[in-house]
PDB file of all heavy atoms in Angstrom:
ATOM      1  N   CYS A  21       5.554  13.129 -30.786  1.00 91.00           N
ATOM      2  CA  CYS A  21       6.198  13.955 -31.728  1.00 91.00           C
ATOM      3  C   CYS A  21       6.194  15.387 -31.346  1.00 91.00           C
ATOM      4  O   CYS A  21       5.394  15.819 -30.514  1.00 91.00           O
ATOM      5  CB  CYS A  21       5.514  13.816 -33.087  1.00 91.00           C
ATOM      6  SG  CYS A  21       3.812  14.138 -33.192  1.00 91.00           S
ATOM      7  N   THR A  22       7.104  16.127 -31.814  1.00 92.00           N
ATOM      8  CA  THR A  22       7.145  17.604 -31.577  1.00 92.00           C
ATOM      9  C   THR A  22       5.784  18.267 -31.834  1.00 92.00           C
ATOM     10  O   THR A  22       5.259  18.154 -32.958  1.00 92.00           O
ATOM     11  CB  THR A  22       8.266  18.264 -32.285  1.00 92.00           C
ATOM     12  OG1 THR A  22       9.512  17.608 -32.103  1.00 92.00           O
ATOM     13  CG2 THR A  22       8.436  19.709 -31.949  1.00 92.00           C
ATOM     14  N   GLY A  23       5.299  18.978 -30.858  1.00 93.00           N
ATOM     15  CA  GLY A  23       4.063  19.676 -31.049  1.00 93.00           C
ATOM     16  C   GLY A  23       2.788  18.855 -30.827  1.00 93.00           C
ATOM     17  O   GLY A  23       1.696  19.370 -30.944  1.00 93.00           O
ATOM     18  N   CYS A  24       2.959  17.529 -30.534  1.00 94.00           N
ATOM     19  CA  CYS A  24       1.843  16.700 -30.296  1.00 94.00           C
ATOM     20  C   CYS A  24       1.373  16.755 -28.853  1.00 94.00           C
ATOM     21  O   CYS A  24       2.184  16.953 -27.952  1.00 94.00           O
ATOM     22  CB  CYS A  24       2.216  15.286 -30.715  1.00 94.00           C
ATOM     23  SG  CYS A  24       2.503  15.021 -32.396  1.00 94.00           S
ATOM     24  N   PRO A  25       0.108  16.475 -28.623  1.00 95.00           N
ATOM     25  CA  PRO A  25      -0.368  16.464 -27.196  1.00 95.00           C
ATOM     26  C   PRO A  25       0.245  15.258 -26.446  1.00 95.00           C
ATOM     27  O   PRO A  25       0.507  14.266 -27.065  1.00 95.00           O
ATOM     28  CB  PRO A  25      -1.905  16.388 -27.334  1.00 95.00           C
ATOM     29  CG  PRO A  25      -2.082  15.785 -28.659  1.00 95.00           C
ATOM     30  CD  PRO A  25      -1.017  16.228 -29.547  1.00 95.00           C
ATOM     31  N   PRO A  26       0.354  15.442 -25.186  1.00 96.00           N
ATOM     32  CA  PRO A  26       0.884  14.297 -24.379  1.00 96.00           C
ATOM     33  C   PRO A  26      -0.122  13.090 -24.452  1.00 96.00           C
ATOM     34  O   PRO A  26      -1.362  13.361 -24.410  1.00 96.00           O
ATOM     35  CB  PRO A  26       0.963  14.838 -22.970  1.00 96.00           C
ATOM     36  CG  PRO A  26       0.969  16.328 -23.121  1.00 96.00           C
ATOM     37  CD  PRO A  26       0.190  16.638 -24.326  1.00 96.00           C
ATOM     38  N   LEU A  27       0.369  11.920 -24.543  1.00 96.00           N
ATOM     39  CA  LEU A  27      -0.518  10.792 -24.684  1.00 96.00           C
ATOM     40  C   LEU A  27      -1.346  10.500 -23.415  1.00 96.00           C
ATOM     41  O   LEU A  27      -2.518  10.150 -23.521  1.00 96.00           O
ATOM     42  CB  LEU A  27       0.363   9.467 -24.911  1.00 96.00           C
ATOM     43  CG  LEU A  27       1.017   9.526 -26.269  1.00 96.00           C
ATOM     44  CD1 LEU A  27       1.975   8.300 -26.506  1.00 96.00           C
ATOM     45  CD2 LEU A  27      -0.078   9.477 -27.464  1.00 96.00           C
ATOM     46  N   GLU A  28      -0.805  10.900 -22.205  1.00 95.00           N
ATOM     47  CA  GLU A  28      -1.589  10.857 -21.017  1.00 95.00           C
ATOM     48  C   GLU A  28      -2.836  11.718 -21.139  1.00 95.00           C
ATOM     49  O   GLU A  28      -3.921  11.262 -20.639  1.00 95.00           O
ATOM     50  CB  GLU A  28      -0.781  11.270 -19.781  1.00 95.00           C
ATOM     51  CG  GLU A  28       0.467  10.521 -19.509  1.00 95.00           C
ATOM     52  CD  GLU A  28       1.700  11.064 -20.151  1.00 95.00           C
ATOM     53  OE1 GLU A  28       1.593  11.857 -21.069  1.00 95.00           O
ATOM     54  OE2 GLU A  28       2.795  10.741 -19.629  1.00 95.00           O
ATOM     55  N   GLN A  29      -2.745  12.894 -21.765  1.00 95.00           N
ATOM     56  CA  GLN A  29      -3.852  13.758 -21.881  1.00 95.00           C
ATOM     57  C   GLN A  29      -4.948  13.178 -22.770  1.00 95.00           C
ATOM     58  O   GLN A  29      -6.087  13.238 -22.424  1.00 95.00           O
ATOM     59  CB  GLN A  29      -3.345  15.074 -22.442  1.00 95.00           C
ATOM     60  CG  GLN A  29      -4.398  16.132 -22.744  1.00 95.00           C
ATOM     61  CD  GLN A  29      -3.791  17.387 -23.480  1.00 95.00           C
ATOM     62  OE1 GLN A  29      -2.785  17.738 -23.223  1.00 95.00           O
ATOM     63  NE2 GLN A  29      -4.671  17.958 -24.266  1.00 95.00           N
ATOM     64  N   LEU A  30      -4.482  12.536 -23.884  1.00 95.00           N
ATOM     65  CA  LEU A  30      -5.443  11.936 -24.776  1.00 95.00           C
ATOM     66  C   LEU A  30      -6.147  10.796 -24.137  1.00 95.00           C
ATOM     67  O   LEU A  30      -7.314  10.573 -24.356  1.00 95.00           O
ATOM     68  CB  LEU A  30      -4.717  11.498 -26.132  1.00 95.00           C
ATOM     69  CG  LEU A  30      -4.422  12.624 -27.070  1.00 95.00           C
ATOM     70  CD1 LEU A  30      -3.705  11.893 -28.289  1.00 95.00           C
ATOM     71  CD2 LEU A  30      -5.752  13.209 -27.570  1.00 95.00           C
ATOM     72  N   ALA A  31      -5.421   9.952 -23.374  1.00 96.00           N
ATOM     73  CA  ALA A  31      -5.962   8.807 -22.713  1.00 96.00           C
ATOM     74  C   ALA A  31      -6.981   9.224 -21.721  1.00 96.00           C
ATOM     75  O   ALA A  31      -8.083   8.662 -21.576  1.00 96.00           O
ATOM     76  CB  ALA A  31      -4.865   8.046 -22.048  1.00 96.00           C
ATOM     77  N   LYS A  32      -6.732  10.304 -20.982  1.00 96.00           N
ATOM     78  CA  LYS A  32      -7.670  10.818 -20.022  1.00 96.00           C
ATOM     79  C   LYS A  32      -8.895  11.378 -20.626  1.00 96.00           C
ATOM     80  O   LYS A  32      -9.995  11.086 -20.227  1.00 96.00           O
ATOM     81  CB  LYS A  32      -7.002  11.909 -19.073  1.00 96.00           C
ATOM     82  CG  LYS A  32      -7.922  12.429 -17.994  1.00 96.00           C
ATOM     83  CD  LYS A  32      -7.212  13.423 -17.146  1.00 96.00           C
ATOM     84  CE  LYS A  32      -8.041  13.985 -15.955  1.00 96.00           C
ATOM     85  NZ  LYS A  32      -9.430  13.826 -15.966  1.00 96.00           N
ATOM     86  N   GLN A  33      -8.719  12.139 -21.703  1.00 97.00           N
ATOM     87  CA  GLN A  33      -9.787  12.738 -22.428  1.00 97.00           C
ATOM     88  C   GLN A  33     -10.662  11.636 -22.982  1.00 97.00           C
ATOM     89  O   GLN A  33     -11.885  11.750 -22.893  1.00 97.00           O
ATOM     90  CB  GLN A  33      -9.194  13.594 -23.617  1.00 97.00           C
ATOM     91  CG  GLN A  33     -10.348  14.259 -24.431  1.00 97.00           C
ATOM     92  CD  GLN A  33      -9.733  15.056 -25.515  1.00 97.00           C
ATOM     93  OE1 GLN A  33      -8.562  15.363 -25.571  1.00 97.00           O
ATOM     94  NE2 GLN A  33     -10.531  15.344 -26.559  1.00 97.00           N
ATOM     95  N   PHE A  34     -10.108  10.584 -23.537  1.00 97.00           N
ATOM     96  CA  PHE A  34     -10.777   9.429 -24.087  1.00 97.00           C
ATOM     97  C   PHE A  34     -11.673   8.753 -23.039  1.00 97.00           C
ATOM     98  O   PHE A  34     -12.829   8.544 -23.145  1.00 97.00           O
ATOM     99  CB  PHE A  34      -9.791   8.452 -24.671  1.00 97.00           C
ATOM    100  CG  PHE A  34     -10.473   7.188 -25.265  1.00 97.00           C
ATOM    101  CD1 PHE A  34     -11.245   7.232 -26.376  1.00 97.00           C
ATOM    102  CD2 PHE A  34     -10.219   5.962 -24.623  1.00 97.00           C
ATOM    103  CE1 PHE A  34     -11.784   6.003 -26.850  1.00 97.00           C
ATOM    104  CE2 PHE A  34     -10.770   4.866 -25.169  1.00 97.00           C
ATOM    105  CZ  PHE A  34     -11.509   4.842 -26.182  1.00 97.00           C
ATOM    106  N   ALA A  35     -11.019   8.482 -21.882  1.00 97.00           N
ATOM    107  CA  ALA A  35     -11.723   7.765 -20.758  1.00 97.00           C
ATOM    108  C   ALA A  35     -12.710   8.674 -20.158  1.00 97.00           C
ATOM    109  O   ALA A  35     -13.894   8.149 -19.921  1.00 97.00           O
ATOM    110  CB  ALA A  35     -10.736   7.365 -19.723  1.00 97.00           C
ATOM    111  N   ASP A  36     -12.445   9.930 -19.996  1.00 97.00           N
ATOM    112  CA  ASP A  36     -13.476  10.892 -19.404  1.00 97.00           C
ATOM    113  C   ASP A  36     -14.723  10.953 -20.225  1.00 97.00           C
ATOM    114  O   ASP A  36     -15.840  11.286 -19.631  1.00 97.00           O
ATOM    115  CB  ASP A  36     -12.857  12.236 -19.111  1.00 97.00           C
ATOM    116  CG  ASP A  36     -11.923  12.211 -17.985  1.00 97.00           C
ATOM    117  OD1 ASP A  36     -11.801  11.231 -17.190  1.00 97.00           O
ATOM    118  OD2 ASP A  36     -11.208  13.254 -17.831  1.00 97.00           O
ATOM    119  N   ALA A  37     -14.601  10.855 -21.495  1.00 97.00           N
ATOM    120  CA  ALA A  37     -15.711  10.897 -22.437  1.00 97.00           C
ATOM    121  C   ALA A  37     -16.487   9.560 -22.645  1.00 97.00           C
ATOM    122  O   ALA A  37     -17.337   9.478 -23.423  1.00 97.00           O
ATOM    123  CB  ALA A  37     -15.247  11.435 -23.779  1.00 97.00           C
ATOM    124  N   GLY A  38     -16.047   8.577 -21.810  1.00 97.00           N
ATOM    125  CA  GLY A  38     -16.743   7.285 -21.858  1.00 97.00           C
ATOM    126  C   GLY A  38     -16.124   6.327 -22.862  1.00 97.00           C
ATOM    127  O   GLY A  38     -16.733   5.183 -23.004  1.00 97.00           O
ATOM    128  N   GLY A  39     -15.036   6.563 -23.369  1.00 97.00           N
ATOM    129  CA  GLY A  39     -14.330   5.657 -24.236  1.00 97.00           C
ATOM    130  C   GLY A  39     -13.898   4.378 -23.592  1.00 97.00           C
ATOM    131  O   GLY A  39     -13.611   4.360 -22.349  1.00 97.00           O
ATOM    132  N   GLU A  40     -13.961   3.295 -24.296  1.00 97.00           N
ATOM    133  CA  GLU A  40     -13.521   1.940 -23.736  1.00 97.00           C
ATOM    134  C   GLU A  40     -12.253   1.432 -24.546  1.00 97.00           C
ATOM    135  O   GLU A  40     -12.250   1.564 -25.716  1.00 97.00           O
ATOM    136  CB  GLU A  40     -14.703   1.009 -23.852  1.00 97.00           C
ATOM    137  CG  GLU A  40     -15.921   1.346 -23.041  1.00 97.00           C
ATOM    138  CD  GLU A  40     -17.015   0.353 -23.110  1.00 97.00           C
ATOM    139  OE1 GLU A  40     -16.741  -0.902 -23.284  1.00 97.00           O
ATOM    140  OE2 GLU A  40     -18.222   0.740 -22.998  1.00 97.00           O
ATOM    141  N   LEU A  41     -11.405   0.860 -23.780  1.00 97.00           N
ATOM    142  CA  LEU A  41     -10.224   0.164 -24.312  1.00 97.00           C
ATOM    143  C   LEU A  41     -10.408  -1.275 -24.088  1.00 97.00           C
ATOM    144  O   LEU A  41     -10.464  -1.785 -22.925  1.00 97.00           O
ATOM    145  CB  LEU A  41      -8.992   0.706 -23.595  1.00 97.00           C
ATOM    146  CG  LEU A  41      -7.628   0.188 -24.063  1.00 97.00           C
ATOM    147  CD1 LEU A  41      -7.341   0.712 -25.497  1.00 97.00           C
ATOM    148  CD2 LEU A  41      -6.498   0.600 -23.066  1.00 97.00           C
ATOM    149  N   TRP A  42     -10.553  -2.033 -25.188  1.00 98.00           N
ATOM    150  CA  TRP A  42     -10.791  -3.484 -25.108  1.00 98.00           C
ATOM    151  C   TRP A  42      -9.469  -4.119 -25.468  1.00 98.00           C
ATOM    152  O   TRP A  42      -8.929  -3.832 -26.515  1.00 98.00           O
ATOM    153  CB  TRP A  42     -11.895  -3.906 -26.087  1.00 98.00           C
ATOM    154  CG  TRP A  42     -13.272  -3.481 -25.675  1.00 98.00           C
ATOM    155  CD1 TRP A  42     -13.621  -2.803 -24.600  1.00 98.00           C
ATOM    156  CD2 TRP A  42     -14.427  -3.767 -26.504  1.00 98.00           C
ATOM    157  NE1 TRP A  42     -15.070  -2.647 -24.590  1.00 98.00           N
ATOM    158  CE2 TRP A  42     -15.528  -3.140 -25.708  1.00 98.00           C
ATOM    159  CE3 TRP A  42     -14.679  -4.426 -27.626  1.00 98.00           C
ATOM    160  CZ2 TRP A  42     -16.841  -3.228 -26.230  1.00 98.00           C
ATOM    161  CZ3 TRP A  42     -15.981  -4.409 -28.098  1.00 98.00           C
ATOM    162  CH2 TRP A  42     -17.028  -3.875 -27.364  1.00 98.00           C
ATOM    163  N   LEU A  43      -9.019  -4.997 -24.589  1.00 97.00           N
ATOM    164  CA  LEU A  43      -7.746  -5.757 -24.837  1.00 97.00           C
ATOM    165  C   LEU A  43      -8.020  -7.143 -25.373  1.00 97.00           C
ATOM    166  O   LEU A  43      -8.876  -7.928 -24.805  1.00 97.00           O
ATOM    167  CB  LEU A  43      -6.999  -5.904 -23.561  1.00 97.00           C
ATOM    168  CG  LEU A  43      -6.790  -4.635 -22.720  1.00 97.00           C
ATOM    169  CD1 LEU A  43      -6.007  -4.952 -21.422  1.00 97.00           C
ATOM    170  CD2 LEU A  43      -6.081  -3.643 -23.540  1.00 97.00           C
ATOM    171  N   CYS A  44      -7.448  -7.513 -26.478  1.00 97.00           N
ATOM    172  CA  CYS A  44      -7.564  -8.906 -26.961  1.00 97.00           C
ATOM    173  C   CYS A  44      -7.010  -9.810 -25.864  1.00 97.00           C
ATOM    174  O   CYS A  44      -5.856  -9.778 -25.528  1.00 97.00           O
ATOM    175  CB  CYS A  44      -6.734  -9.083 -28.251  1.00 97.00           C
ATOM    176  SG  CYS A  44      -6.591 -10.697 -28.813  1.00 97.00           S
ATOM    177  N   PRO A  45      -7.887 -10.706 -25.397  1.00 96.00           N
ATOM    178  CA  PRO A  45      -7.401 -11.646 -24.339  1.00 96.00           C
ATOM    179  C   PRO A  45      -6.351 -12.666 -24.784  1.00 96.00           C
ATOM    180  O   PRO A  45      -5.516 -13.018 -23.971  1.00 96.00           O
ATOM    181  CB  PRO A  45      -8.799 -12.390 -23.910  1.00 96.00           C
ATOM    182  CG  PRO A  45      -9.684 -12.198 -25.064  1.00 96.00           C
ATOM    183  CD  PRO A  45      -9.264 -10.957 -25.804  1.00 96.00           C
ATOM    184  N   ILE A  46      -6.391 -13.056 -25.943  1.00 96.00           N
ATOM    185  CA  ILE A  46      -5.370 -13.969 -26.487  1.00 96.00           C
ATOM    186  C   ILE A  46      -4.002 -13.246 -26.579  1.00 96.00           C
ATOM    187  O   ILE A  46      -2.948 -13.864 -26.093  1.00 96.00           O
ATOM    188  CB  ILE A  46      -5.733 -14.588 -27.836  1.00 96.00           C
ATOM    189  CG1 ILE A  46      -7.028 -15.484 -27.641  1.00 96.00           C
ATOM    190  CG2 ILE A  46      -4.588 -15.362 -28.461  1.00 96.00           C
ATOM    191  CD1 ILE A  46      -7.676 -15.890 -28.986  1.00 96.00           C
ATOM    192  N   CYS A  47      -3.986 -12.066 -27.084  1.00 96.00           N
ATOM    193  CA  CYS A  47      -2.761 -11.252 -27.105  1.00 96.00           C
ATOM    194  C   CYS A  47      -2.203 -10.999 -25.758  1.00 96.00           C
ATOM    195  O   CYS A  47      -0.985 -11.056 -25.500  1.00 96.00           O
ATOM    196  CB  CYS A  47      -3.026 -10.005 -27.928  1.00 96.00           C
ATOM    197  SG  CYS A  47      -3.587 -10.199 -29.624  1.00 96.00           S
ATOM    198  N   LEU A  48      -3.179 -10.580 -24.834  1.00 93.00           N
ATOM    199  CA  LEU A  48      -2.769 -10.309 -23.523  1.00 93.00           C
ATOM    200  C   LEU A  48      -2.170 -11.458 -22.746  1.00 93.00           C
ATOM    201  O   LEU A  48      -1.025 -11.285 -22.171  1.00 93.00           O
ATOM    202  CB  LEU A  48      -3.958  -9.809 -22.695  1.00 93.00           C
ATOM    203  CG  LEU A  48      -3.842  -9.282 -21.302  1.00 93.00           C
ATOM    204  CD1 LEU A  48      -2.827  -8.089 -21.313  1.00 93.00           C
ATOM    205  CD2 LEU A  48      -5.116  -8.968 -20.703  1.00 93.00           C
ATOM    206  N   ASN A  49      -2.738 -12.632 -22.873  1.00 94.00           N
ATOM    207  CA  ASN A  49      -2.251 -13.836 -22.265  1.00 94.00           C
ATOM    208  C   ASN A  49      -0.886 -14.272 -22.829  1.00 94.00           C
ATOM    209  O   ASN A  49      -0.057 -14.800 -22.174  1.00 94.00           O
ATOM    210  CB  ASN A  49      -3.183 -14.998 -22.413  1.00 94.00           C
ATOM    211  CG  ASN A  49      -4.364 -14.836 -21.481  1.00 94.00           C
ATOM    212  OD1 ASN A  49      -4.310 -14.047 -20.507  1.00 94.00           O
ATOM    213  ND2 ASN A  49      -5.558 -15.423 -21.848  1.00 94.00           N
ATOM    214  N   SER A  50      -0.640 -13.960 -24.077  1.00 93.00           N
ATOM    215  CA  SER A  50       0.616 -14.394 -24.702  1.00 93.00           C
ATOM    216  C   SER A  50       1.802 -13.396 -24.353  1.00 93.00           C
ATOM    217  O   SER A  50       2.898 -13.718 -24.609  1.00 93.00           O
ATOM    218  CB  SER A  50       0.502 -14.504 -26.251  1.00 93.00           C
ATOM    219  OG  SER A  50       0.419 -13.148 -26.800  1.00 93.00           O
ATOM    220  N   ARG A  51       1.394 -12.282 -23.792  1.00 87.00           N
ATOM    221  CA  ARG A  51       2.492 -11.395 -23.418  1.00 87.00           C
ATOM    222  C   ARG A  51       2.634 -11.202 -21.876  1.00 87.00           C
ATOM    223  O   ARG A  51       3.285 -10.547 -21.263  1.00 87.00           O
ATOM    224  CB  ARG A  51       2.112  -9.963 -23.989  1.00 87.00           C
ATOM    225  CG  ARG A  51       2.438  -9.999 -25.510  1.00 87.00           C
ATOM    226  CD  ARG A  51       1.830  -8.960 -26.279  1.00 87.00           C
ATOM    227  NE  ARG A  51       2.259  -8.996 -27.661  1.00 87.00           N
ATOM    228  CZ  ARG A  51       1.683  -9.930 -28.499  1.00 87.00           C
ATOM    229  NH1 ARG A  51       0.761 -10.708 -28.171  1.00 87.00           N
ATOM    230  NH2 ARG A  51       2.140  -9.867 -29.800  1.00 87.00           N
TER     231      ARG A  51
END
């Protein structure tokens, strides 16, 4: 959205701070 931070920046900030992204394996396999 207008004025919002870039999503890449948030993803990097999240990962750099030790955040984890867990993917549902069932959802992943179905896609």
Side-chain angles (χ1 to χ4, degrees):
C21 57
T22 304
C24 294
L27 293 171
E28 299 94 339
Q29 176 185 330
L30 281 176
K32 182 176 180 347
Q33 180 182 343
F34 176 70
D36 288 350
E40 296 182 30
L41 183 67
W42 290 358
L43 309 178
C44 169
I46 295 168
C47 300
L48 185 62
N49 288 336
S50 71
R51 285 161 177 80

